[in-house]
Structure formats: structure tokens, C-alpha cells
Amino acid sequence: TDYTELDIFWLPDQKVILHDLDFVVWDNDFENVTCNATVVDLNTYERIPTDVKFGVNFSDSFGYEDWELDVYIDEEHLIDFRLPLSSSNIDIVGKVNGHLGIYGVGLVTNISGEVGVSDTTLSLGMNPVPSWYKPTGETNISLDVDINENVQFVFPLGPNPILRTNIADDSHINFEMGSNGLKAGGEIPLRSGEIFYFQKYFYITEG
């Protein structure tokens, strides 16, 4: 086809357009060659070029056994994203570029890649999600993350959080989450922030 349009929950207020979509079918494998795509911001109408690759491995009974999605966004561009992790009560909202790979087998989804983030908030506590958003199974995340600018952590999410802290620009962390919980590694220098506790503010100036 010339193009295919997609609305994706994890990319809010954006539309994804896949161009010149070609597929290769071999035995039970259904895979598209990496194709050009455009992410359109529905508020500003900015068009951001990306590359996408998708594949599915079907069983003999035509149910899928596993699937894989790779998205590539060059470092000169950023797209909006939201990643609500209901099982951990964590919400991540911001802008991202780089390579993101998603691999699913059965009820297990594995997310990995090397990404850069800007204008991003990671919170304990979640914004509302649609009634249909009821993830099942297990989600494992392993990401190398470059902190570009304006990234903060908030606890809990809301107008009056107990803790709000900004992570220093140009830092790097390894972010992992799975059945053993959440783990972040690497140097995480804190630029500034504040703690509100028993009607007093404590300010973070460096760390």
C-alpha cells in the first residue's frame, strides 16, 4: 500500500503514517522490511520522520507465537510518548528519540533499547487511563537512557507532591523493571528539587 495511518495510545495526540509498506512472508513468519514513517503532531501539525520494522511469527493454527516491533527516531527529533505501568503505579510522560524495541511472546512483553528523553516526568501515581487499558501478563523493561534536558521525578503524582526533584541534564541511567521490581543504575545527579513534609519545604540544591 502507499500508506497506512495508525493511532497509538502510547503516542498521545499524534498520528503515525507508514509509507510504502512492504511485507515478506516465509513459512509462518510475517515481516515488513524497515519502512519510512511519519509521526504527525495533531496540535502543531509538525511532521517527524521515523523508521519502523514489524514482524509476527504465527503458529500452525494461525494464532501468533511472538511479535516484534522496532522504532527508530533520529537524535534531531523528539516524539511525545506515555508509558503507564499499572502494576507498579508508575507513569512516564515526555519526549523521546533513539531506538526502541518491543518483543512479545505469549503474555510477556519485553521493551529494550537506547533512548534519549527530554521534558519528561516519571511519577509514582498515575494519570487516568482509558477503561479499556487493562494490561495483562508480564512487562519487562531494560533501557539505556540519556537524560537530555528537563527530566523530573515526582512522588506522588498530583498538585502537591511530597517529593519533586530534577535530574541533571546530560546524564545517563540504566532503567530496568520486571518481576523483581524497578531498578535504576548509573550516575543520577540531582540538579534541584524540593521535599514537602509536615508543612515545611526542604530544598535540594545538588546531589
Side-chain angles (χ1 to χ4, degrees):
T1 61
D2 291 337
Y3 69 90
T4 301
E5 295 186 356
L6 301 174
D7 294 311
I8 300 175
F9 167 72
W10 296 274
L11 306 179
D13 298 321
Q14 296 164 114
K15 184 179 292 291
V16 179
I17 303 174
L18 306 178
H19 305 285
D20 299 322
L21 200 56
D22 293 318
F23 291 97
V24 175
V25 179
W26 182 263
D27 290 335
N28 292 342
D29 293 332
F30 180 83
E31 182 176 310
N32 84 287
V33 180
T34 301
C35 69
N36 296 326
T38 302
V39 177
V40 180
D41 188 310
L42 298 180
N43 296 312
T44 66
Y45 299 104
E46 179 185 5
R47 301 174 68 88
I48 299 169
T50 64
D51 292 314
V52 175
K53 184 176 183 180
F54 177 70
V56 179
N57 182 29
F58 292 100
S59 66
D60 293 336
S61 59
F62 295 101
Y64 75 86
E65 292 187 348
D66 56 70
W67 58 273
E68 190 168 4
L69 172 68
D70 286 282
V71 181
Y72 304 87
I73 308 149
D74 67 53
E75 62 182 15
E76 296 180 1
H77 298 91
L78 291 163
I79 63 172
D80 294 328
F81 80 101
R82 181 188 179 193
L83 182 60
L85 304 171
S86 304
S87 60
S88 301
N89 197 32
I90 292 173
D91 213 353
I92 307 174
V93 179
K95 298 179 182 294
V96 66
N97 58 21
H99 166 238
L100 191 65
I102 306 174
Y103 175 70
V105 54
L107 295 177
V108 178
T109 302
N110 299 300
I111 302 173
S112 62
E114 307 80 33
V115 298
V117 294
S118 299
D119 301 325
T120 296
T121 297
L122 187 154
S123 63
L124 286 178
M126 296 181 58
N127 289 295
V129 296
S131 59
W132 56 261
Y133 186 78
K134 297 177 180 178
T136 58
E138 177 184 338
T139 300
N140 301 307
I141 300 174
S142 179
L143 293 172
D144 288 326
V145 182
D146 288 325
I147 306 297
N148 294 327
E149 59 182 4
N150 194 26
V151 176
Q152 65 175 348
F153 171 76
V154 174
F155 169 75
L157 181 67
N160 299 301
I162 295 173
L163 171 65
R164 182 191 302 273
T165 184
N166 299 307
I167 302 174
D169 298 346
D170 301 319
S171 52
H172 180 88
I173 63 173
N174 307 107
F175 180 84
E176 296 187 5
M177 194 195 80
S179 57
N180 294 325
L182 173 67
K183 181 173 66 176
E187 294 185 5
I188 311 177
L190 303 180
R191 185 181 65 193
S192 61
E194 59 187 23
I195 302 171
F196 179 70
Y197 185 67
F198 290 133
Q199 306 300 316
K200 290 184 180 291
Y201 280 99
F202 300 87
Y203 295 96
I204 302 171
T205 57
E206 60 180 296

